[in-house]
Amino acid sequence: MTRRDLFVTLNEPFSNPGFLGPEARAERARPDGKLVVDPEYASCTFSTTVSLIESANTMEKTKRAFVKEIAYTLGSLPYRNLGLVRSLSDNAHGEPDNPTAVPLHILKDWQWSFLIRHPRSSVPSMYRLSVPPMSEKTGWDYFIPNELGYRELRNIVDFLFSKDIISRENVCLVDADDLLDNPSGVIAAYCQLVGIDYKPEMLTWDTSEDQAHCREIFRWWMAFHEDAMQSSGLKPRKSPKASLTVEEEDQKWFQTFGKEGARIIRSTVNSYIEDYDYLKSFALKL
């Protein structure tokens, strides 16, 4: 978002059709197995979102669209059997190996990069957004483990490997802990891989203009981005994140979320460790 000279930033644009529109694949959009469409998003489809991205790409000749998205909205596993969305394909089951709702010819046009976070950090963070008091802001009053999207992301990465859209030797994948430990080194390496110049000022967004731009980008799903909106830059952590034992983690979650919350978090973390470790094996190495 700090490189407004190069990019038009779109934050999770597929979340609207993925959670709220007539083509929604999210489990939350089907509480009883039947799709519930938000009337405000009745005309919001995957096709209109692809068009939005294409428009951003052509809006200014010197800029590209930079899209931050979550894997779950592109290919929710519980509804993978639905195949490709109708607004983008006349043959929903024409690409049975495609784990997303988006046809291959569109996926090929995108330059892919990935950001992962260890489940022991992401799961309690997501759980916090699904229980009071944060649930009053997010509107999510229950927790769905699938929404973490680790399995979906792994499936997407493997599919892109299989179609030679990305390579195992040069995949652009960043681990959040590496980024927080060494922001300048990781971002510089990221820039080299995606073909842009690195500037140290990319790590700071503390001006009123920066903050206004941040609020505009996060205007949808704002409650989910409070921490990002309250930040002003990236600085190296003073020391690497302390490793807790399983027992220490469980105790911490018990104190914060109670017995049932801690049980759900532990179960979810354990279920995604293998997927995370697999993805981590491709992370940028400095």
Side-chain angles (χ1 to χ4, degrees):
M1 291 191 295
T2 57
R3 293 306 302 270
R4 295 189 288 278
D5 58 322
L6 296 178
F7 297 108
V8 176
T9 302
L10 301 174
N11 179 59
E12 300 178 11
F14 286 101
S15 291
N16 288 334
F19 279 94
L20 304 170
E23 296 177 325
R25 300 297 176 88
E27 189 174 343
R28 197 173 293 274
R30 301 167 183 264
D32 299 311
K34 185 178 180 180
L35 177 63
V36 178
V37 178
D38 186 320
E40 186 178 347
Y41 294 89
S43 61
C44 183
T45 66
F46 278 72
S47 178
T48 60
T49 303
V50 169
S51 295
L52 175 67
I53 295 170
E54 292 174 347
S55 296
N57 257 332
T58 58
M59 188 183 306
E60 298 184 43
K61 293 182 180 179
T62 59
K63 296 184 180 183
R64 291 185 289 166
F66 184 97
V67 180
K68 181 259 184 179
E69 192 51 81
I70 52 178
Y72 180 79
T73 59
L74 293 178
S76 170
L77 272 175
Y79 294 98
R80 180 175 175 179
N81 64 309
L82 295 178
L84 306 175
V85 290
R86 294 292 184 181
S87 67
L88 292 175
S89 175
D90 293 330
N91 184 0
H93 300 289
E95 299 177 9
D97 60 337
N98 187 341
T100 80
V102 180
L104 177 61
H105 74 271
I106 296 175
L107 301 179
K108 283 183 175 179
D109 286 341
W110 297 343
Q111 182 180 19
W112 292 84
S113 59
F114 309 93
L115 177 65
I116 60 172
R117 189 183 184 195
H118 198 288
R120 72 168 67 97
S121 297
S122 62
V123 175
S125 177
M126 179 70 87
Y127 188 85
R128 181 179 71 90
L129 297 172
S130 307
V131 297
M134 282 303 299
S135 59
E136 297 172 6
K137 295 182 179 182
T138 64
W140 287 16
D141 54 4
Y142 55 95
F143 176 70
I144 299 178
N146 288 335
E147 288 175 344
L148 272 296
Y150 284 94
R151 194 68 41 79
E152 284 84 353
L153 182 57
R154 179 175 181 171
N155 289 341
I156 290 172
V157 167
D158 280 342
F159 179 67
L160 297 176
F161 283 153
S162 72
K163 300 301 180 182
D164 295 323
I165 297 173
I166 60 174
S167 70
R168 292 176 181 270
E169 295 74 26
N170 208 28
V171 60
C172 188
L173 190 150
V174 172
D175 182 87
D177 281 321
D178 296 338
L179 176 62
L180 293 174
D181 288 338
N182 183 4
S184 60
V186 171
I187 294 299
Y190 177 90
C191 289
Q192 184 175 8
L193 275 176
V194 300
I196 66 172
D197 60 311
Y198 168 71
K199 296 182 178 182
E201 53 266 33
M202 293 170 65
L203 303 181
T204 303
W205 48 89
D206 57 358
T207 68
S208 57
E209 182 182 359
D210 289 334
Q211 293 298 312
H213 183 63
C214 184
R215 289 192 296 272
E216 171 63 19
I217 296 301
F218 291 136
R219 68 189 186 279
W220 289 328
W221 308 88
M222 190 172 291
F224 292 86
H225 300 95
E226 283 191 351
D227 290 345
M229 293 176 64
Q230 293 170 5
S231 67
S232 59
L234 270 177
K235 295 180 180 179
R237 290 193 287 214
K238 294 181 180 179
S239 59
K241 189 173 182 178
S243 296
L244 301 179
T245 66
V246 170
E247 292 75 17
E248 289 171 334
E249 286 178 343
D250 288 342
Q251 182 61 26
K252 178 181 177 181
W253 299 334
F254 171 77
Q255 292 174 347
T256 305
F257 301 110
K259 182 178 180 180
E260 181 62 8
R263 183 195 67 78
I264 293 172
I265 290 171
R266 170 55 61 197
S267 174
T268 306
V269 168
N270 289 348
S271 69
Y272 289 130
I273 289 291
E274 182 183 349
D275 295 317
Y276 167 79
D277 286 342
Y278 174 76
L279 293 166
K280 172 70 174 177
S281 70
F282 301 107
L284 288 176
K285 297 175 178 63
L286 303 182

